[in-house]
Amino acid sequence: MVATDRTAGSIRAAASAGRAAELRRLLNSSGANITSAMGPIDATGITPLHSSVFADSAACVQLLVVAGALIDAREADGASPLLIASGVGSTDCVRALCELGADVELTDDGGSAPLHAACSAGHTACVRLLLHARADASAKDATGATPLAAASKDGHDDCVRMLLSASVDVDQTDRHGTSPLAVASANGHLECAQLLLDAGAAVDLVDELGTPPLTLAAALGHASVIRAQLLIEPRHSRRRGRTLASFDRQPVASIGGQLTASPQTLTPCMQSC
């Protein structure tokens, strides 16, 4: 039996409000075929399952998936329920969706996977669940950024630590040649930079403009990050024959004791940080 428009509306309302008991009653009274109630609510592509995630209701998520909701339904921008749950930090929903078989690699239109979303927002519990569900810790979005770069950009050191424990490539770069260390340096996140350095990140791995992380930190005035990199031993160099002394040849100047650099040393990604 197909759910009536009234029943479909009630199901959507219950899911949006996270009212699991009411949703269970409606699903049980509607029969097995409730396709009309499970689809997108409007042009946004949001389904009752997406709404349950926004309501942080793992119980509603469980009820809807068991009743036949498409677990990997994508809204207008391509986000699945799992990606949304990961981005908003709904740990219980992430756990439920992973256990119910959601695709942990399904990306949105920008190429971001659930792990990117969780790392960007700093939701460590969600990161842990996704890694346990075998999410690809080295996946790249449309810009070539990895979850490690996403965590480094926003200073989420616990997420960085967790990803490094998963043995990701610490020097994996995006399409501009920007490494996670460069991202952390440009944004002044000392703890993240230090974790990356301790994991062996190359201090002189340059981007497409030939700019190393140290210069990026200087360009944006992050003195503590600069000091951390100046203390790193030459073994962290990935470019044969180069040492930290070679940074003197970079377009960096000292003005009144403050290191600075010209905009020409920044990739488009770094200029927008």
Side-chain angles (χ1 to χ4, degrees), residues 74-160:
R74 303 174 77 205
E75 61 171 357
D77 64 0
S80 67
L82 179 57
L83 191 148
I84 290 174
S86 302
V88 300
S90 180
T91 306
D92 290 340
C93 287
V94 169
R95 181 182 293 106
L97 288 164
C98 287
E99 292 176 350
L100 290 165
D103 185 351
V104 296
E105 307 296 350
L106 188 62
T107 65
D108 62 15
D109 293 347
S112 291
L115 190 56
H116 283 95
C119 288
S120 181
H123 299 309
T124 54
C126 294
V127 171
R128 184 179 295 106
L129 288 169
L130 291 166
L131 290 174
H132 182 73
R134 300 185 181 279
D136 183 1
S138 298
K140 292 191 173 187
D141 65 14
T143 70
T146 62
L148 184 60
S152 299
K153 179 178 180 180
D154 292 303
H156 301 306
D157 50 278
D158 285 340
C159 292
V160 168

Side-chain angles (χ1 to χ4, degrees), residues 223-236:
S224 60
V225 178
I226 295 169
R227 284 194 294 271
Q229 293 182 50
L230 288 173
L231 294 173
I232 295 301
E233 298 177 9
R235 65 185 174 83
H236 285 269

Side-chain angles (χ1 to χ4, degrees), residues 4-246:
T4 64
D5 289 342
R6 179 177 296 178
T7 303
S10 298
I11 288 174
R12 291 168 179 167
S16 296
R19 297 194 293 264
E22 180 182 346
L23 181 60
R24 181 182 294 105
R25 178 182 60 78
L26 289 165
L27 292 173
N28 288 339
S29 66
S30 300
N33 187 358
I34 54 172
T35 305
S36 61
M38 297 297 192
I41 297 172
D42 53 32
T44 64
I46 293 175
T47 66
L49 187 56
H50 288 96
S51 297
S52 293
V53 169
F54 283 122
D56 194 22
S57 176
C60 287
V61 166
Q62 175 87 24
L63 288 168
L64 288 167
V65 174
V66 170
L70 183 61
I71 194 170
D72 291 322
R74 303 174 77 205
E75 61 171 357
D77 64 0
S80 67
L82 179 57
L83 191 148
I84 290 174
S86 302
V88 300
S90 180
T91 306
D92 290 340
C93 287
V94 169
R95 181 182 293 106
L97 288 164
C98 287
E99 292 176 350
L100 290 165
D103 185 351
V104 296
E105 307 296 350
L106 188 62
T107 65
D108 62 15
D109 293 347
S112 291
L115 190 56
H116 283 95
C119 288
S120 181
H123 299 309
T124 54
C126 294
V127 171
R128 184 179 295 106
L129 288 169
L130 291 166
L131 290 174
H132 182 73
R134 300 185 181 279
D136 183 1
S138 298
K140 292 191 173 187
D141 65 14
T143 70
T146 62
L148 184 60
S152 299
K153 179 178 180 180
D154 292 303
H156 301 306
D157 50 278
D158 285 340
C159 292
V160 168
R161 190 176 289 106
M162 203 171 296
L163 290 166
L164 291 174
S165 296
S167 301
V168 297
D169 181 356
V170 71
D171 287 323
Q172 193 170 17
T173 61
D174 65 15
R175 67 184 185 187
H176 295 296
T178 307
S179 68
L181 177 59
V183 173
S185 299
N187 288 280
H189 299 309
L190 175 60
E191 182 65 22
C192 288
Q194 192 64 64
L195 287 168
L196 295 166
L197 290 167
D198 291 345
V203 296
D204 61 351
L205 182 62
V206 299
D207 60 26
E208 63 184 10
L209 299 180
T211 310
L214 181 63
T215 303
L216 292 170
L220 296 162
H222 301 307
S224 60
V225 178
I226 295 169
R227 284 194 294 271
Q229 293 182 50
L230 288 173
L231 294 173
I232 295 301
E233 298 177 9
R235 65 185 174 83
H236 285 269
S237 171
R238 289 289 183 89
R239 301 190 66 181
R240 186 174 300 173
R242 294 194 66 192
T243 65
L244 289 176
S246 67

